[in-house]
Amino acid sequence: MAKLDPAEIGVLLQPYLAEEPSRSLCERVQRYLALLEVWNKKLNLTSVREAAQMVERHMGESFYMARLLPEFQTMLDLGSGAGFPGLPISLMRPEADVMLAEAHAKKAVFLREAVWMTGSHARVWAHRVEEMERDYRFDVVTLRAVDNMPDALALAMDRLEPGGTLAFFTAQGGETRLPEAQWAHVATHNVPRSGGRILIATLAQ
């Protein structure tokens, strides 16, 4: 995989951010990419192998989701995998308590190392989300690539605070139904440089 310097990473990230990315942020992304390259050789964390695509599709699109989210104190990234979108969101919202939930043991080990390498304040939950205390709920729950979206959305709903926000990616041309609930606000946003969309839905209080 071709290496990218912080300036090149900054150019790739610019369409997804409200302002020019700092060198510090670009260096964190650079460290993440180096770690992902090593781990991807032994654990298939992502099918994307080209560095620029990783920056845009994984980091950039996750940063874009961070822009769309309301203010929050707690967030759960359900089925975090390689850390998307939760890890980038934690870099954009360092004041928030972000939990990356990943039951796959080796992926959870990778996430802990990625958190350390990037200086993120995120925590890793290396168990099934169903094993959390029943009253453990979050202001925001995010999802990206999950095996069974309807089941994952139902699980996400169990972890949302009243008035909380559900945020997830939908594929181009894909149609994902929101779970039945009293929604105060629902909006769909086109992802820059992509055919994908982000759905943001906020529960009524």
Side-chain angles (χ1 to χ4, degrees), residues 162-199:
T165 297
L166 177 65
F168 60 93
F169 289 82
T170 62
Q172 183 176 13
E175 195 62 43
T176 303
R177 285 193 171 193
L178 279 170
E180 291 291 331
Q182 287 189 318
W183 298 105
H185 180 72
V186 177
T188 302
H189 305 265
N190 294 322
V191 179
R193 304 173 63 86
S194 166
R197 297 180 300 169
I198 294 173
L199 195 151

PDB file of all heavy atoms in Angstrom, residues 162-199:
ATOM      1  N   PRO A 162     -34.029   7.914  25.579  1.00  0.00           N
ATOM      2  CA  PRO A 162     -35.125   8.719  25.032  1.00  0.00           C
ATOM      3  C   PRO A 162     -34.569  10.045  24.498  1.00  0.00           C
ATOM      4  O   PRO A 162     -33.757  10.691  25.161  1.00  0.00           O
ATOM      5  CB  PRO A 162     -36.034   8.936  26.242  1.00  0.00           C
ATOM      6  CG  PRO A 162     -35.740   7.783  27.154  1.00  0.00           C
ATOM      7  CD  PRO A 162     -34.277   7.491  26.979  1.00  0.00           C
ATOM      8  N   GLY A 163     -34.944  10.393  23.291  1.00  0.00           N
ATOM      9  CA  GLY A 163     -34.387  11.588  22.670  1.00  0.00           C
ATOM     10  C   GLY A 163     -33.041  11.360  22.022  1.00  0.00           C
ATOM     11  O   GLY A 163     -32.428  12.289  21.500  1.00  0.00           O
ATOM     12  N   GLY A 164     -32.575  10.103  22.044  1.00  0.00           N
ATOM     13  CA  GLY A 164     -31.276   9.770  21.476  1.00  0.00           C
ATOM     14  C   GLY A 164     -31.312   9.700  19.954  1.00  0.00           C
ATOM     15  O   GLY A 164     -32.380   9.696  19.326  1.00  0.00           O
ATOM     16  N   THR A 165     -30.129   9.619  19.359  1.00  0.00           N
ATOM     17  CA  THR A 165     -29.991   9.664  17.903  1.00  0.00           C
ATOM     18  C   THR A 165     -29.381   8.371  17.371  1.00  0.00           C
ATOM     19  O   THR A 165     -28.360   7.898  17.876  1.00  0.00           O
ATOM     20  CB  THR A 165     -29.101  10.845  17.481  1.00  0.00           C
ATOM     21  OG1 THR A 165     -29.735  12.061  17.868  1.00  0.00           O
ATOM     22  CG2 THR A 165     -28.887  10.864  15.973  1.00  0.00           C
ATOM     23  N   LEU A 166     -30.029   7.825  16.343  1.00  0.00           N
ATOM     24  CA  LEU A 166     -29.545   6.658  15.624  1.00  0.00           C
ATOM     25  C   LEU A 166     -28.945   7.140  14.309  1.00  0.00           C
ATOM     26  O   LEU A 166     -29.577   7.917  13.581  1.00  0.00           O
ATOM     27  CB  LEU A 166     -30.710   5.698  15.365  1.00  0.00           C
ATOM     28  CG  LEU A 166     -30.430   4.433  14.570  1.00  0.00           C
ATOM     29  CD1 LEU A 166     -29.487   3.516  15.331  1.00  0.00           C
ATOM     30  CD2 LEU A 166     -31.747   3.702  14.273  1.00  0.00           C
ATOM     31  N   ALA A 167     -27.722   6.717  13.996  1.00  0.00           N
ATOM     32  CA  ALA A 167     -27.054   7.162  12.774  1.00  0.00           C
ATOM     33  C   ALA A 167     -26.410   5.965  12.089  1.00  0.00           C
ATOM     34  O   ALA A 167     -25.651   5.222  12.720  1.00  0.00           O
ATOM     35  CB  ALA A 167     -25.998   8.216  13.103  1.00  0.00           C
ATOM     36  N   PHE A 168     -26.717   5.781  10.798  1.00  0.00           N
ATOM     37  CA  PHE A 168     -26.121   4.653  10.086  1.00  0.00           C
ATOM     38  C   PHE A 168     -25.995   4.948   8.601  1.00  0.00           C
ATOM     39  O   PHE A 168     -26.667   5.823   8.054  1.00  0.00           O
ATOM     40  CB  PHE A 168     -26.918   3.367  10.320  1.00  0.00           C
ATOM     41  CG  PHE A 168     -28.356   3.411   9.878  1.00  0.00           C
ATOM     42  CD1 PHE A 168     -28.735   2.975   8.620  1.00  0.00           C
ATOM     43  CD2 PHE A 168     -29.347   3.872  10.741  1.00  0.00           C
ATOM     44  CE1 PHE A 168     -30.057   3.004   8.218  1.00  0.00           C
ATOM     45  CE2 PHE A 168     -30.668   3.898  10.361  1.00  0.00           C
ATOM     46  CZ  PHE A 168     -31.033   3.465   9.091  1.00  0.00           C
ATOM     47  N   PHE A 169     -25.103   4.200   7.958  1.00  0.00           N
ATOM     48  CA  PHE A 169     -24.846   4.335   6.535  1.00  0.00           C
ATOM     49  C   PHE A 169     -25.767   3.408   5.749  1.00  0.00           C
ATOM     50  O   PHE A 169     -26.023   2.275   6.168  1.00  0.00           O
ATOM     51  CB  PHE A 169     -23.397   3.971   6.211  1.00  0.00           C
ATOM     52  CG  PHE A 169     -22.385   4.966   6.694  1.00  0.00           C
ATOM     53  CD1 PHE A 169     -21.940   4.945   8.012  1.00  0.00           C
ATOM     54  CD2 PHE A 169     -21.867   5.926   5.850  1.00  0.00           C
ATOM     55  CE1 PHE A 169     -20.996   5.852   8.465  1.00  0.00           C
ATOM     56  CE2 PHE A 169     -20.921   6.845   6.289  1.00  0.00           C
ATOM     57  CZ  PHE A 169     -20.496   6.809   7.595  1.00  0.00           C
ATOM     58  N   THR A 170     -26.238   3.882   4.600  1.00  0.00           N
ATOM     59  CA  THR A 170     -27.005   3.040   3.691  1.00  0.00           C
ATOM     60  C   THR A 170     -26.303   3.036   2.342  1.00  0.00           C
ATOM     61  O   THR A 170     -25.738   4.052   1.915  1.00  0.00           O
ATOM     62  CB  THR A 170     -28.450   3.548   3.514  1.00  0.00           C
ATOM     63  OG1 THR A 170     -28.416   4.864   2.924  1.00  0.00           O
ATOM     64  CG2 THR A 170     -29.164   3.621   4.848  1.00  0.00           C
ATOM     65  N   ALA A 171     -26.329   1.885   1.670  1.00  0.00           N
ATOM     66  CA  ALA A 171     -25.641   1.752   0.392  1.00  0.00           C
ATOM     67  C   ALA A 171     -26.406   2.475  -0.710  1.00  0.00           C
ATOM     68  O   ALA A 171     -27.598   2.768  -0.586  1.00  0.00           O
ATOM     69  CB  ALA A 171     -25.496   0.274   0.037  1.00  0.00           C
ATOM     70  N   GLN A 172     -25.706   2.743  -1.797  1.00  0.00           N
ATOM     71  CA  GLN A 172     -26.327   3.382  -2.953  1.00  0.00           C
ATOM     72  C   GLN A 172     -27.473   2.513  -3.455  1.00  0.00           C
ATOM     73  O   GLN A 172     -27.306   1.326  -3.700  1.00  0.00           O
ATOM     74  CB  GLN A 172     -25.300   3.584  -4.079  1.00  0.00           C
ATOM     75  CG  GLN A 172     -25.840   4.305  -5.292  1.00  0.00           C
ATOM     76  CD  GLN A 172     -24.760   4.567  -6.314  1.00  0.00           C
ATOM     77  OE1 GLN A 172     -23.670   4.002  -6.228  1.00  0.00           O
ATOM     78  NE2 GLN A 172     -25.027   5.419  -7.277  1.00  0.00           N
ATOM     79  N   GLY A 173     -28.625   3.122  -3.579  1.00  0.00           N
ATOM     80  CA  GLY A 173     -29.792   2.395  -4.050  1.00  0.00           C
ATOM     81  C   GLY A 173     -30.425   1.506  -2.997  1.00  0.00           C
ATOM     82  O   GLY A 173     -31.470   0.895  -3.227  1.00  0.00           O
ATOM     83  N   GLY A 174     -29.778   1.404  -1.835  1.00  0.00           N
ATOM     84  CA  GLY A 174     -30.316   0.562  -0.776  1.00  0.00           C
ATOM     85  C   GLY A 174     -31.426   1.267  -0.009  1.00  0.00           C
ATOM     86  O   GLY A 174     -31.475   2.482   0.060  1.00  0.00           O
ATOM     87  N   GLU A 175     -32.312   0.495   0.548  1.00  0.00           N
ATOM     88  CA  GLU A 175     -33.419   1.059   1.312  1.00  0.00           C
ATOM     89  C   GLU A 175     -33.492   0.339   2.646  1.00  0.00           C
ATOM     90  O   GLU A 175     -33.799  -0.851   2.704  1.00  0.00           O
ATOM     91  CB  GLU A 175     -34.736   0.876   0.552  1.00  0.00           C
ATOM     92  CG  GLU A 175     -35.862   1.741   1.083  1.00  0.00           C
ATOM     93  CD  GLU A 175     -35.584   3.241   0.982  1.00  0.00           C
ATOM     94  OE1 GLU A 175     -35.082   3.686  -0.066  1.00  0.00           O
ATOM     95  OE2 GLU A 175     -35.855   3.941   1.964  1.00  0.00           O
ATOM     96  N   THR A 176     -33.169   1.020   3.705  1.00  0.00           N
ATOM     97  CA  THR A 176     -33.211   0.441   5.042  1.00  0.00           C
ATOM     98  C   THR A 176     -34.314   1.109   5.833  1.00  0.00           C
ATOM     99  O   THR A 176     -34.342   2.328   5.966  1.00  0.00           O
ATOM    100  CB  THR A 176     -31.868   0.629   5.775  1.00  0.00           C
ATOM    101  OG1 THR A 176     -30.823   0.045   4.985  1.00  0.00           O
ATOM    102  CG2 THR A 176     -31.895  -0.039   7.123  1.00  0.00           C
ATOM    103  N   ARG A 177     -35.219   0.291   6.332  1.00  0.00           N
ATOM    104  CA  ARG A 177     -36.339   0.833   7.093  1.00  0.00           C
ATOM    105  C   ARG A 177     -35.952   1.085   8.534  1.00  0.00           C
ATOM    106  O   ARG A 177     -35.318   0.253   9.181  1.00  0.00           O
ATOM    107  CB  ARG A 177     -37.521  -0.139   7.057  1.00  0.00           C
ATOM    108  CG  ARG A 177     -38.275  -0.156   5.747  1.00  0.00           C
ATOM    109  CD  ARG A 177     -39.576  -0.895   5.923  1.00  0.00           C
ATOM    110  NE  ARG A 177     -40.434  -0.779   4.768  1.00  0.00           N
ATOM    111  CZ  ARG A 177     -41.709  -1.125   4.760  1.00  0.00           C
ATOM    112  NH1 ARG A 177     -42.267  -1.618   5.854  1.00  0.00           N
ATOM    113  NH2 ARG A 177     -42.432  -1.000   3.664  1.00  0.00           N
ATOM    114  N   LEU A 178     -36.365   2.224   9.030  1.00  0.00           N
ATOM    115  CA  LEU A 178     -36.173   2.495  10.452  1.00  0.00           C
ATOM    116  C   LEU A 178     -37.094   1.604  11.272  1.00  0.00           C
ATOM    117  O   LEU A 178     -38.215   1.291  10.844  1.00  0.00           O
ATOM    118  CB  LEU A 178     -36.510   3.955  10.751  1.00  0.00           C
ATOM    119  CG  LEU A 178     -35.444   4.996  10.445  1.00  0.00           C
ATOM    120  CD1 LEU A 178     -36.043   6.388  10.582  1.00  0.00           C
ATOM    121  CD2 LEU A 178     -34.240   4.842  11.362  1.00  0.00           C
ATOM    122  N   PRO A 179     -36.655   1.203  12.454  1.00  0.00           N
ATOM    123  CA  PRO A 179     -37.559   0.464  13.348  1.00  0.00           C
ATOM    124  C   PRO A 179     -38.764   1.327  13.715  1.00  0.00           C
ATOM    125  O   PRO A 179     -38.696   2.561  13.707  1.00  0.00           O
ATOM    126  CB  PRO A 179     -36.680   0.194  14.577  1.00  0.00           C
ATOM    127  CG  PRO A 179     -35.272   0.312  14.086  1.00  0.00           C
ATOM    128  CD  PRO A 179     -35.302   1.335  13.001  1.00  0.00           C
ATOM    129  N   GLU A 180     -39.865   0.678  14.019  1.00  0.00           N
ATOM    130  CA  GLU A 180     -41.061   1.397  14.441  1.00  0.00           C
ATOM    131  C   GLU A 180     -40.795   2.090  15.775  1.00  0.00           C
ATOM    132  O   GLU A 180     -40.374   1.468  16.743  1.00  0.00           O
ATOM    133  CB  GLU A 180     -42.239   0.427  14.604  1.00  0.00           C
ATOM    134  CG  GLU A 180     -42.743  -0.152  13.287  1.00  0.00           C
ATOM    135  CD  GLU A 180     -43.423   0.910  12.435  1.00  0.00           C
ATOM    136  OE1 GLU A 180     -43.974   1.866  13.005  1.00  0.00           O
ATOM    137  OE2 GLU A 180     -43.385   0.786  11.186  1.00  0.00           O
ATOM    138  N   ALA A 181     -40.987   3.401  15.786  1.00  0.00           N
ATOM    139  CA  ALA A 181     -40.757   4.195  16.995  1.00  0.00           C
ATOM    140  C   ALA A 181     -41.323   5.585  16.767  1.00  0.00           C
ATOM    141  O   ALA A 181     -41.694   5.942  15.643  1.00  0.00           O
ATOM    142  CB  ALA A 181     -39.267   4.267  17.319  1.00  0.00           C
ATOM    143  N   GLN A 182     -41.389   6.372  17.826  1.00  0.00           N
ATOM    144  CA  GLN A 182     -41.791   7.771  17.691  1.00  0.00           C
ATOM    145  C   GLN A 182     -40.544   8.598  17.406  1.00  0.00           C
ATOM    146  O   GLN A 182     -39.755   8.885  18.306  1.00  0.00           O
ATOM    147  CB  GLN A 182     -42.483   8.249  18.968  1.00  0.00           C
ATOM    148  CG  GLN A 182     -43.886   7.693  19.158  1.00  0.00           C
ATOM    149  CD  GLN A 182     -44.601   8.371  20.307  1.00  0.00           C
ATOM    150  OE1 GLN A 182     -44.018   8.612  21.355  1.00  0.00           O
ATOM    151  NE2 GLN A 182     -45.875   8.684  20.110  1.00  0.00           N
ATOM    152  N   TRP A 183     -40.380   8.958  16.142  1.00  0.00           N
ATOM    153  CA  TRP A 183     -39.204   9.708  15.725  1.00  0.00           C
ATOM    154  C   TRP A 183     -39.532  11.192  15.697  1.00  0.00           C
ATOM    155  O   TRP A 183     -40.496  11.618  15.077  1.00  0.00           O
ATOM    156  CB  TRP A 183     -38.737   9.249  14.345  1.00  0.00           C
ATOM    157  CG  TRP A 183     -38.316   7.814  14.303  1.00  0.00           C
ATOM    158  CD1 TRP A 183     -39.001   6.771  13.774  1.00  0.00           C
ATOM    159  CD2 TRP A 183     -37.109   7.273  14.853  1.00  0.00           C
ATOM    160  NE1 TRP A 183     -38.313   5.603  13.947  1.00  0.00           N
ATOM    161  CE2 TRP A 183     -37.143   5.879  14.602  1.00  0.00           C
ATOM    162  CE3 TRP A 183     -36.013   7.818  15.518  1.00  0.00           C
ATOM    163  CZ2 TRP A 183     -36.106   5.031  15.009  1.00  0.00           C
ATOM    164  CZ3 TRP A 183     -34.991   6.976  15.921  1.00  0.00           C
ATOM    165  CH2 TRP A 183     -35.045   5.599  15.662  1.00  0.00           C
ATOM    166  N   ALA A 184     -38.704  11.980  16.375  1.00  0.00           N
ATOM    167  CA  ALA A 184     -38.901  13.427  16.394  1.00  0.00           C
ATOM    168  C   ALA A 184     -38.361  14.068  15.125  1.00  0.00           C
ATOM    169  O   ALA A 184     -38.884  15.083  14.655  1.00  0.00           O
ATOM    170  CB  ALA A 184     -38.215  14.046  17.613  1.00  0.00           C
ATOM    171  N   HIS A 185     -37.301  13.469  14.569  1.00  0.00           N
ATOM    172  CA  HIS A 185     -36.684  14.048  13.374  1.00  0.00           C
ATOM    173  C   HIS A 185     -35.937  12.954  12.621  1.00  0.00           C
ATOM    174  O   HIS A 185     -35.228  12.151  13.233  1.00  0.00           O
ATOM    175  CB  HIS A 185     -35.707  15.164  13.760  1.00  0.00           C
ATOM    176  CG  HIS A 185     -35.043  15.805  12.594  1.00  0.00           C
ATOM    177  ND1 HIS A 185     -35.702  16.648  11.728  1.00  0.00           N
ATOM    178  CD2 HIS A 185     -33.766  15.728  12.132  1.00  0.00           C
ATOM    179  CE1 HIS A 185     -34.867  17.069  10.796  1.00  0.00           C
ATOM    180  NE2 HIS A 185     -33.672  16.523  11.019  1.00  0.00           N
ATOM    181  N   VAL A 186     -36.100  12.914  11.307  1.00  0.00           N
ATOM    182  CA  VAL A 186     -35.399  11.958  10.453  1.00  0.00           C
ATOM    183  C   VAL A 186     -34.848  12.719   9.246  1.00  0.00           C
ATOM    184  O   VAL A 186     -35.570  13.495   8.615  1.00  0.00           O
ATOM    185  CB  VAL A 186     -36.328  10.820   9.969  1.00  0.00           C
ATOM    186  CG1 VAL A 186     -35.573   9.882   9.026  1.00  0.00           C
ATOM    187  CG2 VAL A 186     -36.903  10.040  11.151  1.00  0.00           C
ATOM    188  N   ALA A 187     -33.586  12.510   8.930  1.00  0.00           N
ATOM    189  CA  ALA A 187     -32.969  13.176   7.776  1.00  0.00           C
ATOM    190  C   ALA A 187     -31.982  12.232   7.108  1.00  0.00           C
ATOM    191  O   ALA A 187     -31.305  11.445   7.771  1.00  0.00           O
ATOM    192  CB  ALA A 187     -32.255  14.460   8.196  1.00  0.00           C
ATOM    193  N   THR A 188     -31.914  12.314   5.781  1.00  0.00           N
ATOM    194  CA  THR A 188     -30.965  11.522   5.008  1.00  0.00           C
ATOM    195  C   THR A 188     -29.993  12.471   4.311  1.00  0.00           C
ATOM    196  O   THR A 188     -30.412  13.476   3.730  1.00  0.00           O
ATOM    197  CB  THR A 188     -31.690  10.664   3.962  1.00  0.00           C
ATOM    198  OG1 THR A 188     -32.633   9.813   4.621  1.00  0.00           O
ATOM    199  CG2 THR A 188     -30.703   9.791   3.203  1.00  0.00           C
ATOM    200  N   HIS A 189     -28.714  12.150   4.367  1.00  0.00           N
ATOM    201  CA  HIS A 189     -27.676  13.014   3.817  1.00  0.00           C
ATOM    202  C   HIS A 189     -26.831  12.234   2.818  1.00  0.00           C
ATOM    203  O   HIS A 189     -26.406  11.103   3.102  1.00  0.00           O
ATOM    204  CB  HIS A 189     -26.769  13.533   4.938  1.00  0.00           C
ATOM    205  CG  HIS A 189     -27.503  14.236   6.035  1.00  0.00           C
ATOM    206  ND1 HIS A 189     -27.668  15.604   6.075  1.00  0.00           N
ATOM    207  CD2 HIS A 189     -28.124  13.745   7.149  1.00  0.00           C
ATOM    208  CE1 HIS A 189     -28.352  15.931   7.158  1.00  0.00           C
ATOM    209  NE2 HIS A 189     -28.639  14.824   7.832  1.00  0.00           N
ATOM    210  N   ASN A 190     -26.591  12.813   1.664  1.00  0.00           N
ATOM    211  CA  ASN A 190     -25.705  12.208   0.678  1.00  0.00           C
ATOM    212  C   ASN A 190     -24.256  12.374   1.123  1.00  0.00           C
ATOM    213  O   ASN A 190     -23.835  13.463   1.516  1.00  0.00           O
ATOM    214  CB  ASN A 190     -25.898  12.852  -0.693  1.00  0.00           C
ATOM    215  CG  ASN A 190     -27.271  12.573  -1.264  1.00  0.00           C
ATOM    216  OD1 ASN A 190     -27.809  11.478  -1.107  1.00  0.00           O
ATOM    217  ND2 ASN A 190     -27.863  13.556  -1.919  1.00  0.00           N
ATOM    218  N   VAL A 191     -23.492  11.294   1.039  1.00  0.00           N
ATOM    219  CA  VAL A 191     -22.086  11.329   1.435  1.00  0.00           C
ATOM    220  C   VAL A 191     -21.260  11.925   0.299  1.00  0.00           C
ATOM    221  O   VAL A 191     -21.413  11.518  -0.856  1.00  0.00           O
ATOM    222  CB  VAL A 191     -21.586   9.909   1.765  1.00  0.00           C
ATOM    223  CG1 VAL A 191     -20.115   9.931   2.151  1.00  0.00           C
ATOM    224  CG2 VAL A 191     -22.426   9.290   2.878  1.00  0.00           C
ATOM    225  N   PRO A 192     -20.397  12.896   0.568  1.00  0.00           N
ATOM    226  CA  PRO A 192     -19.571  13.468  -0.489  1.00  0.00           C
ATOM    227  C   PRO A 192     -18.747  12.404  -1.216  1.00  0.00           C
ATOM    228  O   PRO A 192     -18.271  11.450  -0.599  1.00  0.00           O
ATOM    229  CB  PRO A 192     -18.648  14.438   0.263  1.00  0.00           C
ATOM    230  CG  PRO A 192     -19.395  14.779   1.508  1.00  0.00           C
ATOM    231  CD  PRO A 192     -20.149  13.535   1.873  1.00  0.00           C
ATOM    232  N   ARG A 193     -18.617  12.559  -2.531  1.00  0.00           N
ATOM    233  CA  ARG A 193     -17.768  11.694  -3.353  1.00  0.00           C
ATOM    234  C   ARG A 193     -18.163  10.230  -3.267  1.00  0.00           C
ATOM    235  O   ARG A 193     -17.314   9.324  -3.360  1.00  0.00           O
ATOM    236  CB  ARG A 193     -16.296  11.870  -2.977  1.00  0.00           C
ATOM    237  CG  ARG A 193     -15.797  13.304  -3.060  1.00  0.00           C
ATOM    238  CD  ARG A 193     -14.392  13.460  -2.526  1.00  0.00           C
ATOM    239  NE  ARG A 193     -13.447  12.709  -3.317  1.00  0.00           N
ATOM    240  CZ  ARG A 193     -12.848  13.156  -4.430  1.00  0.00           C
ATOM    241  NH1 ARG A 193     -13.129  14.375  -4.877  1.00  0.00           N
ATOM    242  NH2 ARG A 193     -11.989  12.416  -5.089  1.00  0.00           N
ATOM    243  N   SER A 194     -19.451   9.979  -3.038  1.00  0.00           N
ATOM    244  CA  SER A 194     -19.929   8.604  -2.845  1.00  0.00           C
ATOM    245  C   SER A 194     -21.389   8.521  -3.241  1.00  0.00           C
ATOM    246  O   SER A 194     -22.111   9.513  -3.240  1.00  0.00           O
ATOM    247  CB  SER A 194     -19.759   8.202  -1.379  1.00  0.00           C
ATOM    248  OG  SER A 194     -20.489   7.038  -1.075  1.00  0.00           O
ATOM    249  N   GLY A 195     -21.840   7.304  -3.567  1.00  0.00           N
ATOM    250  CA  GLY A 195     -23.265   7.103  -3.813  1.00  0.00           C
ATOM    251  C   GLY A 195     -24.006   6.717  -2.556  1.00  0.00           C
ATOM    252  O   GLY A 195     -25.215   6.513  -2.580  1.00  0.00           O
ATOM    253  N   GLY A 196     -23.277   6.626  -1.455  1.00  0.00           N
ATOM    254  CA  GLY A 196     -23.893   6.231  -0.203  1.00  0.00           C
ATOM    255  C   GLY A 196     -24.605   7.368   0.490  1.00  0.00           C
ATOM    256  O   GLY A 196     -24.477   8.537   0.110  1.00  0.00           O
ATOM    257  N   ARG A 197     -25.362   7.020   1.520  1.00  0.00           N
ATOM    258  CA  ARG A 197     -26.100   8.021   2.294  1.00  0.00           C
ATOM    259  C   ARG A 197     -25.965   7.718   3.776  1.00  0.00           C
ATOM    260  O   ARG A 197     -25.662   6.610   4.169  1.00  0.00           O
ATOM    261  CB  ARG A 197     -27.580   8.016   1.894  1.00  0.00           C
ATOM    262  CG  ARG A 197     -27.833   8.396   0.439  1.00  0.00           C
ATOM    263  CD  ARG A 197     -29.314   8.373   0.117  1.00  0.00           C
ATOM    264  NE  ARG A 197     -29.874   7.028   0.343  1.00  0.00           N
ATOM    265  CZ  ARG A 197     -31.172   6.752   0.340  1.00  0.00           C
ATOM    266  NH1 ARG A 197     -32.063   7.727   0.187  1.00  0.00           N
ATOM    267  NH2 ARG A 197     -31.603   5.531   0.550  1.00  0.00           N
ATOM    268  N   ILE A 198     -26.207   8.751   4.561  1.00  0.00           N
ATOM    269  CA  ILE A 198     -26.232   8.612   6.020  1.00  0.00           C
ATOM    270  C   ILE A 198     -27.619   8.989   6.506  1.00  0.00           C
ATOM    271  O   ILE A 198     -28.131  10.056   6.146  1.00  0.00           O
ATOM    272  CB  ILE A 198     -25.176   9.514   6.692  1.00  0.00           C
ATOM    273  CG1 ILE A 198     -23.762   9.049   6.314  1.00  0.00           C
ATOM    274  CG2 ILE A 198     -25.346   9.510   8.211  1.00  0.00           C
ATOM    275  CD1 ILE A 198     -22.671   9.985   6.805  1.00  0.00           C
ATOM    276  N   LEU A 199     -28.208   8.118   7.293  1.00  0.00           N
ATOM    277  CA  LEU A 199     -29.529   8.402   7.862  1.00  0.00           C
ATOM    278  C   LEU A 199     -29.346   8.757   9.336  1.00  0.00           C
ATOM    279  O   LEU A 199     -28.716   8.019  10.084  1.00  0.00           O
ATOM    280  CB  LEU A 199     -30.449   7.191   7.702  1.00  0.00           C
ATOM    281  CG  LEU A 199     -31.941   7.468   7.923  1.00  0.00           C
ATOM    282  CD1 LEU A 199     -32.785   6.504   7.082  1.00  0.00           C
ATOM    283  CD2 LEU A 199     -32.329   7.326   9.391  1.00  0.00           C
TER     284      LEU A 199
END
